[in-house]
Amino acid sequence: MILFPAIDLKDGQCVRLKLGDMDQATVYNPDPAAQARAFEEQGFEWLHVVDLNGAFAGETVNGAAVDAILKATRNPVQLGGGIRTLDHIENWLSRGLARVILGTVAVRDPALVIEACRKFPGKVAVGIDAKGGKVAVEGWAEASELGVIELAKKFEGAGVSAIIYTDIDRDGILTGINWPSTLELADAVSIPVIASGGLASMDDIRRMVAPDAHKLEGAISGRALYDGRIDPQEALDLIRAARKS
């Protein structure tokens, strides 16, 4: 069980969006590398990074900020947003990423994801972002007719290291993780699932370490960490205790 602190990048700065809307961005740190160092010093073991501009552009936009993050922290880093080709994947892994997250391309070209898993074992995660139960793509700007579990099952046995499942309707508004949908997905596939979108308080951390959630790889926290609604030490202590039980 891992708590992944999130750094979302917009125009080179660390921000949080509300409901995935680029016009509703709050800047939390103009120096993403300093934020990465701070998370490591607090005791976090991983870092979740999203190139928000890249997700809309279909290519890396905040590359300089990501490179600075990779230099600033010893923690493994996973990155999503605008990674759409095998060349993109290979380039980022060569620059020191622990894992890439493929979202839009997982819908548009599932065969590419399967090929990427074959070429880069253990280094490829799939991001499934849902609005009203349907998968959204292109930086959440476009809805598909594909169901979450339907998409996830396409990658069973392919070697996907994790599925990062985000409920867009809850993202950035601190209403709590959509636990029923997240656990339903985790029950439906053998691929480890990471919960994302709406983590709001220590109640979500306590829910995350409940016995029926042990099947999850972890959860991602953004705004609740930045706003102080989650105490990093208390949260990490709860998670460590759950690992021992």
Side-chain angles (χ1 to χ4, degrees):
M1 185 67 68
I2 301 164
L3 184 60
F4 296 80
I7 294 181
D8 287 359
L9 298 169
K10 179 177 184 279
D11 305 332
Q13 298 181 306
C14 174
V15 307
R16 293 303 293 169
L17 303 185
K18 186 175 180 181
L19 300 171
D21 184 350
M22 289 286 271
D23 293 327
Q24 296 191 70
T26 303
V27 176
Y28 279 99
N29 196 328
D31 186 346
Q35 187 62 59
R37 276 193 299 273
F39 282 139
E40 182 179 333
E41 287 162 4
Q42 287 170 340
F44 292 99
E45 299 165 335
W46 266 84
L47 189 59
H48 175 78
V49 179
V50 179
D51 180 348
L52 294 170
N53 302 101
F56 285 92
E59 60 185 12
T60 297
V61 175
N62 288 288
V66 178
D67 285 331
I69 287 168
L70 290 169
K71 289 184 177 73
T73 181
R74 292 165 296 180
N75 282 346
V77 177
Q78 62 184 22
L79 172 69
I83 303 173
R84 306 279 170 87
T85 69
L86 289 171
D87 284 344
H88 285 167
I89 296 164
E90 187 163 19
N91 177 44
W92 271 119
L93 294 176
S94 72
R95 285 154 79 169
L97 276 185
R99 144 165 110 184
V100 297
I101 304 164
L102 305 181
T104 294
V105 75
V107 176
R108 304 274 195 241
D109 190 359
L112 185 143
V113 177
I114 293 165
E115 172 68 5
C117 290
R118 189 188 64 76
K119 285 189 74 172
F120 310 107
K123 302 284 189 180
V124 177
V126 167
I128 298 182
D129 306 323
K131 192 170 182 64
K134 297 294 184 182
V135 177
V137 294
E138 305 293 346
W140 300 355
E142 205 175 302
S144 76
E145 288 303 309
L146 205 56
V148 171
I149 291 172
E150 181 187 357
L151 178 60
K153 288 196 167 184
K154 291 187 179 189
F155 304 112
E156 281 280 45
V160 170
S161 61
I163 289 172
I164 294 143
Y165 171 62
T166 304
D167 184 338
I168 298 169
D169 293 320
R170 296 185 181 225
D171 190 70
I173 59 170
L174 300 166
T175 55
I177 293 278
N178 184 339
W179 290 109
S181 292
T182 302
L183 295 174
E184 181 186 15
L185 173 60
D187 281 333
V189 294
S190 60
I191 305 164
V193 172
I194 298 169
S196 174
L199 196 145
S201 67
M202 291 303 299
D203 285 342
D204 273 318
I205 302 296
R206 284 185 278 272
R207 182 68 187 86
M208 173 181 156
V209 300
D212 66 334
H214 282 187
K215 67 193 78 165
L216 299 177
E217 181 172 298
I220 293 165
S221 179
R223 189 177 291 269
L225 273 175
Y226 292 107
D227 286 351
R229 288 176 169 84
I230 289 175
D231 178 84
Q233 200 58 57
E234 186 183 350
L236 292 170
D237 285 347
L238 268 173
I239 290 165
R240 289 187 193 108
R243 284 178 186 164
K244 292 174 184 172
S245 63

